[in-house]
Amino acid sequence: MALPRTTLTLLLLLGTAALGVTLLFTTMNPWMDSGGILVGGLDVHIYRDGGWRVVHERALYLEPTHYGLLYTYTPFSALVFLPLLLVPWAHVTTTWMVLNLLVLFGVVLQSFRMLGYRVTAKLVAVSVLLTLACTFAEPVRTTLYYGQINLVLMLVVLWDFSRAEHSKLRGIGVGIAAGIKLTPLYFIAQYLAQRQWRAAATAALTFMATIGLTALVLPSDSYQYWTSTFFQSGRIAPDVHPSNQSLRGAIAHLMHGPAPVWLWLLIAVPIALVALWLAAVLVRRGEPLLSVTLGGLTACAVSPYSWGHHWVWFVPLLVYLIHRAQTRAPWWLAAAALYLAIAAWTYQYTPTWVSVGTFLLPPWWPAHQVLMNIYVIIYLITLAGIAVHIRTRKLPPPPIEPNIALPQQLSTEPRTVVAPHPDDDRPAMLN
């Protein structure tokens, strides 16, 4: 599959990329001590400190790490971060940012591949431009600034879901991602909903293997994490914090206080079940990218606490909208609306405090409750849109299998040419 509207797509993305990169460096001083895109790296230094503690046999969870912050990831993650010790302390931030940019490009390209596009020079150009444009999306911008691992985990999950249905490797990526950060455990439930029993079992066994391996290498830290630290949600932040872009956070924002667990579960569990069903239907209808993207967004929504940078799953959603725009131009409006809503808009409260993200805009602005819960609102709109999409769109016709025969067996009878189904709005296959 090739991009039939390549010129239009290139022009629109070229303008968006130029605007996004310009805004990235002009909406906030890139060298500002707190928030400047070129002076971040807080989280990646915590990752490195976790690896350092493993080597020097220091406790992971009983002592503060870099800048007095607590280590919150699994003990297995500290083993994964050991290679960061090979990077000199002064170059960790730059190295990780370059790696994240390459991973972001990989996410965009992999998303297009899951939609059926061939990797051509034009597709690579489109992916580069979209990568640059997405640097001004708040989840990506914040991931780059803090040196977070969200993009890496997303690429691993996308790779996992792109494996063939009966591939023995399918599930390993999800298991490893969940071993580093527990949120990807949601994708095991998604494999189960899709009746991908082998993949679900492989993911679960891989996840358990990460626990077992770490228990052998780091017995004390493993015991501390799984018996105590795992249950200390307060190590993250109060759920009423405006940066908590989850259903529980939205409830807390509306109630102006901690969200009751029973109310959060009453809302989150049915939504998760509906999302699992929709994701399974999407796979059966030949839309694997939208299915796994819905899973990633749902994992953020139903999680007790989701920072804005957890919502990097908006990137493959943006790819999907651009894909739809290749055959129906109005979808560009949906892509533009999503980009504007998740952009890294800033507001300077004081000379040294500049907020980043729509949900951190001033509380005295109109529609503040909408802005403060913007990611959850986008998710609910996406969920409803997918439900309508499934209900109204007919199944595409099955592919026509070629009649392959040996030369001496070739038939001379005329063949019937079947026209494309009128409801199939996917880009045409081009040689």
Side-chain angles (χ1 to χ4, degrees), residues 22-47:
T22 301
L23 291 173
L24 178 67
F25 286 94
T26 57
T27 52
M28 183 188 300
N29 181 352
W31 296 105
M32 185 176 183
D33 287 340
S34 56
I37 187 65
L38 298 180
V39 291
L42 174 63
D43 287 345
V44 71
H45 279 90
I46 293 177
Y47 300 160

Short mmCIF file of all heavy atoms in Angstrom, two decimals, residues 22-47:
data_model
loop_
_atom_site.label_atom_id
_atom_site.label_comp_id
_atom_site.label_asym_id
_atom_site.label_seq_id
_atom_site.Cartn_x
_atom_site.Cartn_y
_atom_site.Cartn_z
N THR A 22 9.40 24.94 15.85
CA THR A 22 9.55 26.36 16.21
C THR A 22 8.91 26.65 17.56
O THR A 22 9.53 27.30 18.42
CB THR A 22 8.90 27.25 15.13
OG1 THR A 22 9.53 27.01 13.86
CG2 THR A 22 9.05 28.72 15.49
N LEU A 23 7.70 26.15 17.76
CA LEU A 23 7.01 26.37 19.04
C LEU A 23 7.74 25.66 20.18
O LEU A 23 7.77 26.16 21.31
CB LEU A 23 5.57 25.87 18.95
CG LEU A 23 4.63 26.68 18.06
CD1 LEU A 23 3.28 25.98 17.93
CD2 LEU A 23 4.45 28.08 18.63
N LEU A 24 8.34 24.51 19.89
CA LEU A 24 9.06 23.77 20.93
C LEU A 24 10.17 24.61 21.54
O LEU A 24 10.41 24.55 22.75
CB LEU A 24 9.63 22.49 20.32
CG LEU A 24 10.45 21.59 21.25
CD1 LEU A 24 9.56 20.99 22.32
CD2 LEU A 24 11.14 20.48 20.45
N PHE A 25 10.83 25.41 20.69
CA PHE A 25 11.97 26.19 21.17
C PHE A 25 11.63 27.64 21.49
O PHE A 25 12.49 28.37 22.00
CB PHE A 25 13.09 26.14 20.13
CG PHE A 25 13.81 24.83 20.08
CD1 PHE A 25 13.42 23.84 19.19
CD2 PHE A 25 14.86 24.57 20.94
CE1 PHE A 25 14.08 22.62 19.15
CE2 PHE A 25 15.52 23.35 20.92
CZ PHE A 25 15.13 22.37 20.02
N THR A 26 10.41 28.08 21.19
CA THR A 26 10.06 29.49 21.43
C THR A 26 9.01 29.69 22.52
O THR A 26 8.95 30.77 23.12
CB THR A 26 9.56 30.15 20.13
OG1 THR A 26 8.43 29.42 19.62
CG2 THR A 26 10.66 30.18 19.07
N THR A 27 8.17 28.68 22.77
CA THR A 27 7.16 28.85 23.83
C THR A 27 7.78 28.83 25.21
O THR A 27 7.18 29.28 26.17
CB THR A 27 6.09 27.74 23.73
OG1 THR A 27 6.74 26.47 23.71
CG2 THR A 27 5.25 27.91 22.49
N MET A 28 8.98 28.27 25.33
CA MET A 28 9.73 28.30 26.58
C MET A 28 11.22 28.33 26.25
O MET A 28 11.66 27.65 25.32
CB MET A 28 9.41 27.07 27.44
CG MET A 28 10.11 27.09 28.79
SD MET A 28 9.95 25.54 29.74
CE MET A 28 8.18 25.43 29.92
N ASN A 29 11.96 29.11 27.02
CA ASN A 29 13.40 29.18 26.85
C ASN A 29 13.98 27.76 26.96
O ASN A 29 13.83 27.11 27.99
CB ASN A 29 14.01 30.07 27.92
CG ASN A 29 15.52 30.21 27.79
OD1 ASN A 29 16.16 29.52 26.98
ND2 ASN A 29 16.10 31.10 28.58
N PRO A 30 14.61 27.23 25.90
CA PRO A 30 15.10 25.84 25.95
C PRO A 30 16.15 25.60 27.02
O PRO A 30 16.40 24.45 27.39
CB PRO A 30 15.68 25.62 24.54
CG PRO A 30 15.97 26.98 24.03
CD PRO A 30 14.93 27.87 24.62
N TRP A 31 16.75 26.68 27.55
CA TRP A 31 17.76 26.53 28.60
C TRP A 31 17.23 26.94 29.97
O TRP A 31 18.01 27.07 30.92
CB TRP A 31 18.99 27.38 28.26
CG TRP A 31 19.67 26.93 27.01
CD1 TRP A 31 19.63 27.53 25.78
CD2 TRP A 31 20.50 25.78 26.85
NE1 TRP A 31 20.36 26.83 24.87
CE2 TRP A 31 20.92 25.74 25.50
CE3 TRP A 31 20.93 24.77 27.72
CZ2 TRP A 31 21.73 24.74 25.00
CZ3 TRP A 31 21.75 23.77 27.21
CH2 TRP A 31 22.14 23.76 25.88
N MET A 32 15.92 27.12 30.09
CA MET A 32 15.33 27.48 31.38
C MET A 32 15.54 26.34 32.38
O MET A 32 15.31 25.17 32.07
CB MET A 32 13.83 27.75 31.20
CG MET A 32 13.16 28.25 32.45
SD MET A 32 11.41 28.66 32.13
CE MET A 32 10.94 29.28 33.74
N ASP A 33 15.97 26.66 33.59
CA ASP A 33 16.34 25.64 34.58
C ASP A 33 15.22 24.63 34.82
O ASP A 33 15.46 23.43 34.92
CB ASP A 33 16.73 26.31 35.90
CG ASP A 33 18.08 26.99 35.80
OD1 ASP A 33 18.85 26.63 34.89
OD2 ASP A 33 18.35 27.89 36.62
N SER A 34 13.99 25.09 34.94
CA SER A 34 12.87 24.19 35.21
C SER A 34 11.92 24.18 34.02
O SER A 34 11.05 25.04 33.91
CB SER A 34 12.11 24.62 36.47
OG SER A 34 11.67 25.97 36.35
N GLY A 35 12.15 23.26 33.11
CA GLY A 35 11.24 23.11 31.98
C GLY A 35 11.86 23.24 30.62
O GLY A 35 11.27 22.79 29.63
N GLY A 36 13.03 23.84 30.51
CA GLY A 36 13.66 23.99 29.21
C GLY A 36 13.99 22.64 28.58
O GLY A 36 14.57 21.78 29.24
N ILE A 37 13.63 22.46 27.33
CA ILE A 37 13.74 21.16 26.67
C ILE A 37 15.17 20.64 26.64
O ILE A 37 15.41 19.42 26.61
CB ILE A 37 13.15 21.23 25.23
CG1 ILE A 37 13.09 19.84 24.60
CG2 ILE A 37 13.97 22.18 24.37
CD1 ILE A 37 12.14 18.90 25.27
N LEU A 38 16.17 21.53 26.68
CA LEU A 38 17.56 21.12 26.56
C LEU A 38 18.25 20.89 27.90
O LEU A 38 19.44 20.54 27.93
CB LEU A 38 18.35 22.16 25.75
CG LEU A 38 17.89 22.36 24.30
CD1 LEU A 38 18.73 23.42 23.61
CD2 LEU A 38 17.94 21.05 23.53
N VAL A 39 17.53 21.07 29.01
CA VAL A 39 18.18 20.92 30.32
C VAL A 39 17.39 19.97 31.22
O VAL A 39 17.39 20.11 32.44
CB VAL A 39 18.35 22.29 31.03
CG1 VAL A 39 19.37 23.13 30.30
CG2 VAL A 39 17.02 23.02 31.13
N GLY A 40 16.74 18.98 30.63
CA GLY A 40 15.95 18.04 31.41
C GLY A 40 16.75 16.81 31.81
O GLY A 40 17.91 16.88 32.20
N GLY A 41 16.11 15.64 31.69
CA GLY A 41 16.78 14.39 31.97
C GLY A 41 16.66 13.89 33.39
O GLY A 41 17.41 13.00 33.81
N LEU A 42 15.70 14.44 34.16
CA LEU A 42 15.57 14.04 35.56
C LEU A 42 15.31 12.54 35.70
O LEU A 42 15.99 11.83 36.45
CB LEU A 42 14.43 14.82 36.22
CG LEU A 42 14.05 14.41 37.65
CD1 LEU A 42 15.22 14.63 38.59
CD2 LEU A 42 12.82 15.17 38.11
N ASP A 43 14.33 12.02 34.97
CA ASP A 43 13.93 10.62 35.13
C ASP A 43 14.99 9.65 34.64
O ASP A 43 15.21 8.60 35.25
CB ASP A 43 12.60 10.36 34.42
CG ASP A 43 11.43 10.99 35.15
OD1 ASP A 43 11.61 11.36 36.32
OD2 ASP A 43 10.34 11.10 34.56
N VAL A 44 15.66 9.99 33.54
CA VAL A 44 16.67 9.07 33.03
C VAL A 44 17.85 8.98 34.00
O VAL A 44 18.51 7.94 34.11
CB VAL A 44 17.14 9.47 31.61
CG1 VAL A 44 17.97 10.75 31.63
CG2 VAL A 44 17.94 8.34 30.99
N HIS A 45 18.12 10.05 34.73
CA HIS A 45 19.16 9.99 35.75
C HIS A 45 18.71 9.13 36.93
O HIS A 45 19.54 8.46 37.57
CB HIS A 45 19.54 11.39 36.22
CG HIS A 45 20.49 12.09 35.30
ND1 HIS A 45 20.05 12.87 34.24
CD2 HIS A 45 21.84 12.10 35.22
CE1 HIS A 45 21.10 13.34 33.59
NE2 HIS A 45 22.20 12.89 34.17
N ILE A 46 17.41 9.12 37.23
CA ILE A 46 16.90 8.21 38.26
C ILE A 46 17.04 6.77 37.79
O ILE A 46 17.40 5.88 38.56
CB ILE A 46 15.43 8.55 38.59
CG1 ILE A 46 15.35 9.93 39.26
CG2 ILE A 46 14.81 7.48 39.49
CD1 ILE A 46 13.94 10.39 39.56
N TYR A 47 16.76 6.53 36.49
CA TYR A 47 16.95 5.19 35.94
C TYR A 47 18.40 4.75 36.11
O TYR A 47 18.69 3.62 36.53
CB TYR A 47 16.60 5.16 34.45
CG TYR A 47 15.19 5.55 34.09
CD1 TYR A 47 14.89 5.95 32.78
CD2 TYR A 47 14.16 5.54 35.03
CE1 TYR A 47 13.60 6.31 32.43
CE2 TYR A 47 12.87 5.90 34.67
CZ TYR A 47 12.60 6.29 33.38
OH TYR A 47 11.34 6.65 33.02
#
